[in-house]
Amino acid sequence: MLKNLVAGLRTLLAKRMHDREMDEELRAYIDAAVEEKMRGGMSRETAIRKTRIEMGSPEAVKDEIRDAGWERALESLWQDVRYGARMLRKSPGFCALVIFTLARGIGANTAIFSLVEAVLLRPLPYPHASRLVDLWARSDVFDFPNLGVSLPDLADIRAQSRSFERLAVYNYAQVDLTGQGRPQELEAVQASPDFFPMLGIAPLYGRTFIPSDARPGNDQKAILSASLWRTHFGADTHVIGRGILLNGATYTIIGIMPPEFAFPSGVDLWIPFVPTPAELAARDTHGYPVVGRLLPGSSIREAQVELNTIATRLAVAYPQTDKGWGFSLRSAKSDLVNNTSTPLLVLFAAVGLVLLIVCANVGSLYLARAWSRAHEMAIRAALGASRGRLIRQLLIEGLLLALAGGVAGLLFAAWALEGLRPLILLNTPRLEHLKIDGHVLWFTLAASLAAGLLFGLVPAFLFSRNHLIAAIREAGAGREARSAGPRQSRLRQLFVVIELSLALVLVIAAGLAIRSFARLSATPLGFRPDHVLTMELDVPSYQFKTPAQFVSYSDQVLERIRRSPGVESASASISLPLGNFRGETEFRLPGRPANPDAQGFMAGWNHVTPGYFQTLGISVIAGRDFNENDRTGSEPVVIVNQALARRYFGNQSPIGKQISTHHDKDHPIWSEIVGEVANVRDVSPSQKPAPFIYEPYAQNQAGGDVIPQIMLLVRTRTEPMALGRTIEDRIWSVDKDQPVTNLKAMTELVATSYGEPRSQSLLLSLFGGLGLVLALVGIYGVISYSVGQRTREIGVRMALGAQTKDVLSLVLAQGTKLVLAGVGIGLAASFAATRLMRGLLYGITATDPLTFAGVSALLILAGLAACYIPARRATRVDPMSALRNE
Amino acid sequence: MRPKSATLVQGTLDMLILKTLALEPLHGYGISLRIEQMSRGIFRVNPGSLFPAFRRLERAGLLTSEWRSTENNRRAKYYVLTDRGRKQLKTETSEWGKQIAAIARILEAT
């Protein structure tokens, strides 16, 4: 093998020497043969002649010897490549057109693939990441698939399951960092000691948690994320062992994590998770996310089966809390990218269609060029080139073009990614990994080669020997080769039909996305986001000893804001519609069993000050808004939304009815419903409003902890952002150290929540438009070509009295046939393909008849318009000159 | 291929060349002559097949070659069987024997 390789290389490199040796060997052979024959009695001349005859041409023999080595094939391939490159250089216009077209197709694919790669394909950055799973609690009654697991349940799973190497629990917490410049709220995660070992990530400096860190009293340790370490501690390695103030208590920094580690995403620091005995016993608190590592060899499916068994056992043992509950297990990656995979795959499919259209388009161009070279090909065939060799030549040229297109596409993709980044999928996880890396390069290479093969092989159908002979004959007669013309134009027509049908699929997909987005935008949100300014005050709970202090602080702030010029109203709440945070609560109704199978009914939940509904423009349907008297100590009251009233009170008015969201040692605390307000789309614009309960901000019905967070909402008379500074000053006039974050116009928050459907419809429109233009160029090209071919026929018809409209309809009829065929096939394909989009659409079905009909009509009109231009040209044929030219 | 000569079974030419060289190194024409003589004129090997076979066998490490003077004091390229070539000849001969016997059994069966 090696010897073969070396010998081959030597032959390639020392070609001349090798040829000389071959000559000499052959001469020796001839000499020996001649001598042998002379010894047999022949004359010298006869012997030489006979030897020549026996041997044939020495050049042919040498050729055969050369063929015996692999290097020969390489050599001829290289010849073809050089010849191909030369031929391409001779037609720069054609090359530029093809490369440009390919670059768009390959570039768009590269860009979308790099998205798919970064978000969906790349494994999570942990060792053996495929074994990492998320464990959630699932209720058969409530429609919430991802609830946290309760700690006693987790303990039972740990004890009974045989599938997991480790199960770690964590909990989100917000902490205030003080004594480090401006006070700031940080995203902290409380993690059990096995959290880091389970993920398998070592700290950059210091250490991670050990079991003793979770002992109460010994638990004031903190591990910093690399970004927090950089922004707040100047990336100083000496911070390890130093204390920081979190919520007013001193924590010791014990470690710093590497920059690529961010789990859960967005976390600033980790502190030990030390559950209280009460929390450890609360089987009904479904509050803790659990992440686990499967044992090598056990699958998610097996583990899920085991969890189901455990859940059944728990339901029997603890019917009060565990009946109707189960557990669900998903791979940590799929959990992370779950919501993004469908939109991304739809985009990927769309962009794949664009590439197919590009290939058909380029294939058609390539076919025309190959045919115009039929003469050259015929001569090469006559000189002994096999059909395979000719096809190889065309294939090589196709691949050369495709590779050039791939390189151009890569540049295009790099440019497009930068341009698209702000536009694509604002909420997509893992987007920070987006880049053109090795995998993407391989993909681009593969896509280019596939495209090259696809359109490069097409002309192979043309070059049968008979066609080549005919081409020579016609070339000899001084005419342009034409006999294989019908075959050529049939193929090109086929391409156009394919292009049109694929374009139809793309444009229908874009149409569906646009219509769905329009529906979504037209759906009332239930509140008026214009002229509303929102901001967040992080109020450190340790500064306020009692809820009353907290309420009086927020009252002061609101009072000062209301007195500013330009402010119409101001109010506070715990969460915002379409915000990052949404409260949920269980509730009970008097006289009804607290839900037979589970603990209660579920509703969205918010605490709001008087004026909240007015500020957001939510209409009060019945009853009253909260007022200044609804405070802790007064009669507990709530306001419910229409969805809750409809579902639980039917046609009766909910006003005056009792409802309970809190209980005191199993005794429900009843509140009176004093108002009913309109539904608000608070989760996302596309999600139907669920039951919702509002409680007075100043009324602490449970008498429990204060939620240390105030969302301020200010309705302004003018442009809201212009008032930002004034309002900040008002806040600081109460407490100059109060951090104000996320100062935003409500419209911005709304725009963000529309971001995903908007970018989807935008990108799909982009691809649809690209496909449509390519398909129109395709049909224009084919009809133009056919008009050119039929000049003589048209001339004859006109000479015989055909009118302009006859000629027009002659040409248009041909175009109509192609367009209708394309639309027909495209419609069938669309019915199958748009099903992929079902989950993305709002308010319309995936086979929305209006979109299908409208887009088809659009495509037919555009297609005919593209045919009309060459048809007009056909009517201007001068019969005399057309006939004379032949 | 001349009409008189029988067509060699595919792949047997290599074996015949190896066999011819098993006795002594020979040059190209010598090998061709030897094959013709030994087969009593049934096989005549054309240089167009012979020389490519040399190249193949040389590449495969079964032959080496060297330039030597002939008995007539001319220079010619002599081919020499290597150890691997000798081993290859042995296995091919026995393989061939088995095949011939098998074919004969099939043809004799009624």
Side-chain angles (χ1 to χ4, degrees):
Chain A
M1 184 63 205
L2 187 70
K3 198 165 177 175
N4 195 343
L5 196 72
V6 171
L9 283 177
R10 198 180 297 146
T11 321
L12 272 180
L13 296 176
K15 208 167 158 212
R16 187 161 313 150
M17 202 192 89
H18 216 83
D19 271 8
R20 212 176 321 128
E21 198 177 321
M22 219 152 52
D23 278 340
E24 213 172 324
E25 190 176 5
L26 282 179
R27 202 174 321 119
Y29 180 93
I30 293 169
D31 287 351
V34 169
E35 268 169 35
E36 179 65 27
K37 290 197 165 61
M38 284 167 68
R39 209 175 299 144
M42 281 186 202
S43 74
R44 189 174 176 80
E45 286 74 39
T46 325
I48 290 176
R49 200 159 42 93
K50 268 210 95 170
T51 309
R52 283 266 159 82
I53 291 168
E54 272 174 22
M55 183 167 152
S57 149
E59 284 308 312
V61 174
K62 273 158 70 179
D63 226 40
E64 281 185 73
I65 300 176
R66 288 191 199 107
D67 275 347
W70 57 266
E71 68 277 5
R72 175 57 181 239
L74 197 73
E75 221 171 49
S76 77
L77 195 67
W78 178 235
Q79 261 174 17
D80 283 1
V81 169
R82 277 194 332 218
Y83 179 75
R86 234 178 9 248
M87 290 310 286
L88 289 177
R89 220 175 305 143
K90 275 192 196 162
S91 39
F94 166 80
C95 288
L97 183 61
V98 167
I99 291 174
F100 179 63
T101 311
L102 281 171
R104 279 183 295 176
I106 296 174
N109 271 273
T110 301
I112 297 300
F113 178 77
S114 56
L115 257 177
V116 169
E117 207 262 340
V119 177
L120 297 184
L121 298 183
R122 200 173 302 168
L124 296 176
Y126 311 114
H128 308 291
S130 60
R131 278 162 44 209
L132 288 180
V133 288
D134 287 338
L135 175 64
W136 299 104
R138 173 175 48 77
S139 158
D140 297 342
V141 183
F142 307 139
D143 194 18
F144 302 113
N146 293 352
L147 285 163
V149 180
S150 75
L151 295 179
D153 282 355
L154 178 63
D156 287 332
I157 293 174
R158 276 180 176 147
Q160 296 178 26
S161 164
R162 298 280 165 273
S163 303
F164 300 96
E165 196 174 284
R166 274 198 174 102
L167 285 166
V169 60
Y170 59 97
N171 194 20
Y172 294 93
Q174 286 176 337
V175 295
D176 292 298
L177 174 69
T178 46
Q180 204 78 38
R182 247 181 83 165
Q184 196 172 357
E185 187 187 71
L186 299 177
E187 292 294 330
V189 159
Q190 300 175 308
S192 63
D194 47 1
F195 180 81
F196 291 100
M198 190 213 51
L199 291 171
I201 297 290
L204 190 62
Y205 296 106
R207 63 173 177 90
T208 55
F209 298 131
I210 52 175
S212 65
D213 294 327
R215 247 192 351 249
N218 189 36
D219 61 334
Q220 304 206 320
K221 312 277 171 66
I223 298 173
L224 307 183
S225 72
S227 62
L228 182 72
W229 179 52
R230 252 196 321 270
T231 53
H232 286 65
F233 300 90
D236 176 9
T237 50
H238 294 105
V239 296
I240 302 227
R242 241 169 58 187
I244 49 170
L245 279 173
L246 298 176
N247 286 350
T250 306
Y251 280 69
T252 310
I253 299 175
I254 60 165
I256 294 149
M257 294 311 287
E260 64 276 9
F261 180 79
F263 184 87
S265 56
V267 62
D268 296 314
L269 57 86
W270 296 265
I271 52 181
F273 180 48
V274 188
T276 62
E279 284 169 329
L280 280 171
R283 211 172 267 282
D284 59 347
T285 306
H286 299 276
Y288 304 95
V290 174
V291 54
R293 185 178 280 281
L294 290 171
L295 282 168
S298 54
S299 70
I300 290 189
R301 188 188 296 261
E302 287 161 12
Q304 179 67 61
V305 170
E306 193 186 52
L307 285 172
N308 293 346
T309 320
I310 294 174
T312 316
R313 245 180 263 154
L314 290 176
V316 173
Y318 311 101
Q320 280 284 313
T321 53
D322 283 46
K323 203 164 167 224
W325 287 81
F327 304 104
S328 62
L329 201 61
R330 280 191 301 275
S331 88
K333 193 176 94 178
S334 77
D335 228 25
L336 183 63
V337 299
N338 199 15
N339 297 328
T340 10
S341 64
T342 313
L344 271 182
L345 291 179
V346 165
L347 282 184
F348 199 38
V351 89
L353 290 186
V354 171
L355 188 58
L356 280 181
I357 296 178
V358 163
C359 282
N361 200 293
V362 171
S364 181
L365 283 173
Y366 200 59
L367 197 60
R369 178 182 144 89
W371 189 243
S372 72
R373 284 168 68 188
H375 188 204
E376 169 204 334
M377 293 291 166
I379 288 178
R380 287 187 65 179
L383 290 178
S386 64
R387 179 163 175 243
R389 182 82 188 254
L390 295 182
I391 290 172
R392 190 174 85 180
Q393 179 68 50
L394 287 168
L395 192 59
I396 284 172
E397 287 176 27
L399 288 175
L400 283 177
L401 282 172
L403 287 177
V407 171
L410 214 52
L411 297 177
F412 177 78
W415 169 79
L417 273 185
E418 279 320 301
L420 289 181
R421 199 188 284 263
L423 201 154
I424 22 179
L425 315 165
L426 295 157
N427 308 324
T428 306
R430 311 220 287 158
L431 212 53
E432 66 276 11
H433 304 302
L434 181 60
K435 61 169 187 282
I436 293 179
D437 64 1
H439 291 114
V440 177
L441 288 179
W442 280 115
F443 170 82
T444 310
L445 182 67
S448 314
L449 291 181
L453 277 177
L454 216 56
F455 72 78
L457 271 179
V458 164
F461 296 105
L462 279 183
F463 291 113
S464 73
R465 195 148 283 273
N466 286 342
H467 289 130
L468 286 173
I469 292 168
I472 280 203
R473 208 177 296 131
E474 290 183 356
R479 283 196 307 242
E480 197 188 325
R482 189 171 291 172
S483 25
R487 192 166 174 162
Q488 200 246 127
S489 44
R490 262 204 310 280
L491 262 177
R492 291 189 68 187
Q493 288 177 2
L494 178 67
F495 280 140
V496 163
V497 171
I498 293 173
E499 281 177 61
L500 286 169
S501 55
L502 293 177
L504 185 79
V505 176
L506 276 178
V507 180
I508 282 183
L512 287 174
I514 291 170
R515 249 173 75 70
S516 147
F517 182 57
R519 279 276 169 103
L520 189 59
S521 313
T523 304
L525 291 168
F527 64 96
R528 285 185 9 239
D530 58 296
H531 290 95
V532 175
L533 191 66
T534 71
M535 71 216 75
E536 208 175 314
L537 304 189
D538 310 316
V539 185
S541 53
Y542 57 87
Q543 284 184 5
F544 298 103
K545 296 289 174 273
T546 65
Q549 286 179 329
F550 184 73
V551 168
S552 88
Y553 171 69
S554 53
D555 277 351
Q556 272 185 63
V557 170
L558 283 177
E559 200 39 53
R560 297 208 184 175
I561 293 175
R562 286 193 188 112
R563 271 191 270 127
S564 328
V567 169
E568 204 171 291
S569 64
S571 62
S573 63
I574 288 176
S575 63
L576 291 176
L578 304 176
N580 299 324
F581 168 79
R582 179 177 188 266
E584 299 264 356
T585 183
E586 291 169 10
F587 66 92
R588 298 184 59 175
L589 295 169
R592 294 194 212 189
N595 202 319
D597 290 322
Q599 296 88 340
F601 307 106
M602 294 293 281
W605 191 38
N606 198 0
H607 290 231
V608 302
T609 60
Y612 173 85
F613 302 109
Q614 185 202 342
T615 307
L616 271 181
I618 300 170
S619 51
V620 179
I621 295 170
R624 64 167 176 90
D625 187 3
F626 296 131
N627 60 38
E628 294 303 325
N629 300 323
D630 298 322
R631 292 188 171 266
T632 309
S634 69
E635 215 35 48
V637 292
V638 298
I639 292 174
V640 298
N641 72 347
Q642 207 176 3
L644 190 142
R646 278 278 156 74
R647 188 178 303 176
Y648 297 102
F649 301 108
N651 291 328
Q652 296 175 18
S653 166
I655 309 298
K657 296 272 193 311
Q658 301 280 302
I659 194 167
S660 162
T661 54
H662 301 275
H663 49 83
D664 181 18
K665 294 196 182 85
D666 281 348
H667 294 294
I669 300 171
W670 297 105
S671 306
E672 187 190 340
I673 299 175
V674 294
E676 178 187 347
V677 293
N679 292 333
V680 169
R681 302 217 161 199
D682 63 315
V683 181
S684 84
S686 59
Q687 194 154 324
K688 281 215 173 71
F692 206 100
I693 299 173
Y694 299 91
E695 292 180 15
Y697 196 80
Q699 192 169 57
N700 199 311
Q701 292 163 337
D705 293 341
V706 173
I707 298 172
Q709 187 175 6
I710 310 176
M711 292 289 179
L712 286 185
L713 294 132
V714 182
R715 180 164 287 277
T716 59
R717 296 202 176 84
T718 53
E719 215 292 300
M721 285 313 278
L723 272 178
R725 288 303 308 225
T726 323
I727 288 168
E728 274 180 332
D729 285 341
R730 299 283 151 164
I731 295 166
W732 288 331
S733 72
V734 181
D735 174 0
K736 65 175 174 39
D737 286 335
Q738 175 60 55
V740 178
T741 51
N742 286 326
L743 186 78
K744 274 180 194 163
M746 189 73 202
T747 45
E748 196 186 325
L749 211 63
V750 171
T752 307
S753 63
Y754 282 116
E756 208 169 304
R758 177 188 292 126
S759 64
Q760 265 159 32
S761 52
L762 211 66
L763 285 176
L764 281 176
S765 309
L766 205 68
F767 298 148
L770 195 57
L772 184 63
V773 167
L774 285 169
L776 293 180
V777 167
I779 191 167
Y780 169 80
V782 163
I783 300 295
S784 296
Y785 180 81
S786 135
V787 166
Q789 292 279 296
R790 293 166 80 180
T791 307
R792 181 155 173 264
E793 177 202 332
I794 292 168
V796 171
R797 281 170 189 263
M798 289 176 82
L800 292 177
Q803 298 297 305
T804 302
K805 71 174 185 2
D806 300 325
V807 175
L808 263 182
S809 68
L810 178 76
V811 176
L812 284 180
Q814 190 195 4
T816 311
K817 247 189 285 173
L818 294 180
V819 171
L820 288 182
V823 167
I825 298 171
L827 276 176
S830 299
F831 273 109
T834 53
R835 222 175 311 163
L836 230 173
M837 294 180 66
R838 208 156 31 187
L840 306 181
L841 298 178
Y842 174 82
I844 55 170
T845 62
T847 51
D848 180 47
L850 197 63
T851 310
F852 273 58
V855 170
S856 304
L858 173 85
L859 199 75
I860 291 172
L861 283 180
L864 289 184
C867 299
Y868 183 75
I869 305 167
R872 281 295 301 177
R873 201 178 308 136
T875 61
R876 294 199 206 100
V877 167
D878 172 14
M880 285 322 287
S881 67
L883 291 175
R884 214 177 294 127
N885 273 345
E886 274 300 312
Chain B
M1 196 60 65
R2 281 162 298 175
K4 251 172 71 184
S5 65
T7 317
L8 276 174
V9 178
Q10 190 73 41
T12 50
L13 176 61
D14 290 4
M15 188 171 63
L16 296 186
I17 293 170
L18 294 180
K19 174 69 186 171
T20 322
L21 291 174
L23 301 175
E24 53 174 341
L26 283 171
H27 54 71
Y29 186 70
I31 295 170
S32 138
L33 203 60
R34 187 69 63 82
I35 290 177
E36 196 176 328
Q37 285 167 353
M38 292 203 306
S39 70
R40 306 218 177 97
I42 300 285
F43 296 141
R44 285 190 179 177
V45 191
N46 185 311
S49 338
L50 199 60
F51 284 105
F54 290 159
R55 159 121 0 150
R56 253 195 329 268
L57 292 168
E58 217 180 337
R59 286 282 174 84
L62 306 177
L63 301 181
T64 56
S65 61
E66 55 193 37
W67 289 89
R68 287 191 198 168
S69 308
T70 64
E71 55 270 35
N72 306 335
N73 270 334
R74 290 180 194 279
R75 268 168 58 77
K77 198 176 185 182
Y78 276 73
Y79 290 92
V80 185
L81 202 60
T82 62
D83 287 347
R84 267 179 67 191
R86 223 170 274 282
K87 226 179 282 169
Q88 176 75 12
L89 175 63
K90 222 173 181 172
T91 57
E92 274 191 28
T93 312
S94 78
E95 192 58 33
W96 179 251
K98 275 185 220 156
Q99 286 181 7
I100 290 288
I103 291 168
R105 275 198 298 280
I106 293 169
L107 293 181
E108 280 158 16
T110 45

